[in-house]
């Protein structure tokens, strides 16, 4: 009888700890909370051009990198030079701990030399091409957050000559409808408008609008319902009957939950990556 009581108590405590761990998951985190996270460092830095921002960093999986699937990540930051690759280091660290090789891309951004549109898109496309030539032949996903999601979606469209070598494309709070986004108020919306205004006079907005492009055949949009920077409507523009684009809404998640490894949204991201890259 005592043994039975002990077993029941042990089960109760185990469940309690598990529920407590779930309850501690964060929601609606701020950008400053992301910056406060500790992180590791990459093992290699590769240049794909002569501009100081034309490089990517390689973070190998913690265990058996030779057999690990690959994630090519494009950071966000409203296409502005003020937000560089370093704020994504906690994400990079967490992805390697989850068993993925991480390739993190830096690119030219507003406020830097020679950053007029479509410089950022050209950079991301070129970086992905370079990375695909250095991977281990294992499954590969391209994933981007916010403005980085916008670039990731465009760079991997069906028109991209290396699209067939990419297994999945994942936009995290990605900006998908530029025509609507540039017409709305908000600091990032204004940055989007500035980005478009840097283009040449013969620019066609459709070329910078994922909604108007033939996206990769396996595209996923992960969006938080409490995002006040990229509204949920940006993940819903393709509708439910689009064969190429799938949408996952994370309840009560904010914009930066997508790049904070201690949130509910992060759990969904890892689950989706495992589903797409580790069948």
């Amino acid at each position: 009888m005592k043994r039975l009581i002990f077993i029941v108590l042990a089960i109760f405590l185990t469940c309690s700890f598990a529920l407590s761990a779930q309850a501690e998951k964060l929601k609606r985190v701020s950008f400053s909370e992301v910056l406060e996270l500790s992180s590791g460092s990459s093992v290699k830095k590769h240049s794909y051009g002569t501009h100081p921002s034309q490089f990517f960093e390689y973070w190998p999986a913690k265990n058996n990198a030779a057999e690990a699937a690959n994630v090519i990540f494009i950071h966000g930051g409203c296409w502005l030079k003020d937000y560089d690759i370093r704020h994504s280091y906690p994400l990079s660290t967490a992805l390697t701990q989850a068993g993925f090789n991480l390739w993190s891309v830096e690119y030219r951004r507003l406020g830097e030399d020679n950053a007029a549109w479509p410089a950022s898109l050209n950079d991301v496309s070129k970086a992905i091409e370079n990375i695909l030539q250095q991977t281990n032949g294992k499954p590969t996903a391209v994933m981007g957050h916010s403005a980085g999601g916008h670039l990731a979606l465009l760079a991997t469209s069906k028109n991209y000559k290396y699209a067939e070598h990419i297994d999945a494309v994942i936009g995290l709070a990605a900006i998908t409808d530029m025509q609507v986004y540039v017409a709305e108020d908000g600091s990032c919306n204004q940055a989007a408008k500035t980005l478009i205004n840097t283009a040449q006079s013969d620019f066609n907005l459709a070329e910078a609008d994922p909604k108007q492009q033939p996206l990769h055949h396996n595209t996923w949009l992960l969006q938080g319902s409490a995002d006040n920077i990229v509204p949920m409507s940006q993940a819903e523009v393709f509708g439910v009957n689009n064969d190429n684009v799938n949408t996952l809404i994370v309840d009560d998640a904010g914009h930066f939950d997508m790049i904070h490894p201690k949130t509910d949204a992060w759990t969904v991201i890892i689950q989706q990556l495992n589903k797409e890259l580790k069948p």
Side-chain angles (χ1 to χ4, degrees):
M1 185 64 178
K2 288 183 178 180
R3 178 176 175 80
L4 178 60
I5 293 173
F6 176 78
I7 293 173
V8 172
L9 180 60
I11 294 173
F12 172 79
L13 289 174
T14 300
C15 292
S16 297
F17 286 135
L19 290 172
S20 176
Q22 291 178 355
E24 290 175 0
K25 288 285 187 179
L26 301 175
K27 293 183 179 181
R28 288 174 286 173
V29 301
S30 65
F31 184 63
S32 61
E33 287 178 277
V34 174
L35 297 180
E36 291 168 359
L37 292 168
S38 60
S39 64
S41 57
S42 63
V43 299
K44 291 181 181 179
K45 179 178 177 180
H46 303 258
S47 295
Y48 60 86
T50 58
H51 191 280
S53 290
Q54 291 177 315
F55 69 88
F56 57 85
E57 297 181 339
Y58 173 55
W59 305 63
K62 292 300 181 183
N63 296 310
N64 199 12
E67 297 298 321
N70 303 281
V71 177
I72 301 173
F73 183 71
I74 320 298
H75 73 82
C78 303
W79 307 274
L80 297 169
K81 73 171 185 178
D82 307 87
Y83 304 101
D84 64 13
I85 196 172
R86 287 173 292 183
H87 80 262
S88 65
Y89 282 1
L91 171 145
S92 300
T93 302
L95 282 174
T96 65
Q97 293 171 344
F100 299 99
N101 293 323
L102 191 282
W103 307 78
S104 189
V105 177
E106 187 60 285
Y107 51 93
R108 286 173 289 176
R109 304 174 310 289
L110 289 172
E112 296 186 299
D113 293 336
N114 302 315
W117 181 264
S120 54
L121 176 58
N122 292 340
D123 282 359
V124 168
S125 300
K126 187 175 181 180
I128 293 173
E129 176 183 349
N130 275 260
I131 292 167
L132 290 172
Q133 295 172 2
Q134 299 183 48
T135 56
N136 52 10
K138 300 301 178 182
T140 299
V142 175
M143 185 167 73
H145 176 241
S146 193
H150 165 261
L151 296 172
L153 294 174
L154 290 175
T156 58
S157 73
K158 289 182 178 180
N159 297 327
Y160 185 51
K161 61 181 178 180
Y162 294 98
E164 64 183 43
H165 300 293
I166 298 167
D167 296 276
V169 178
I170 300 177
L172 308 177
I175 296 163
T176 64
D177 190 339
M178 284 290 276
Q179 187 169 1
V180 168
Y181 199 72
V182 299
E184 295 176 338
D185 294 329
S187 58
C188 199
N189 305 80
Q190 294 305 310
K193 187 182 298 184
T194 300
L195 180 75
I196 298 308
N197 288 339
T198 65
Q200 298 296 323
S201 57
D202 60 349
F203 167 71
N204 184 345
L205 180 60
E207 298 170 3
D209 198 344
K211 181 184 176 181
Q212 301 184 60
Q213 294 299 316
L215 299 185
H216 187 274
H217 69 88
N218 187 24
T219 297
W220 290 83
L221 301 177
L222 276 62
Q223 178 72 37
S225 67
D227 193 326
N228 60 4
I229 295 177
V230 178
M232 197 165 62
S233 57
Q234 285 283 320
E236 298 172 335
V237 298
F238 297 95
V240 296
N241 297 318
N242 192 297
D243 292 334
N244 294 340
V245 183
N246 306 279
T247 301
L248 290 174
I249 303 298
V250 184
D251 186 49
D252 207 26
H255 190 68
F256 299 107
D257 290 26
M258 298 292 170
I259 57 172
H260 193 300
K262 296 182 180 180
T263 62
D264 284 335
W266 184 257
T267 300
V268 175
I269 292 167
I270 295 300
Q271 289 174 345
Q272 193 61 38
L273 285 172
N274 283 330
K275 176 183 174 183
E276 299 301 326
L277 303 181
K278 297 180 180 181

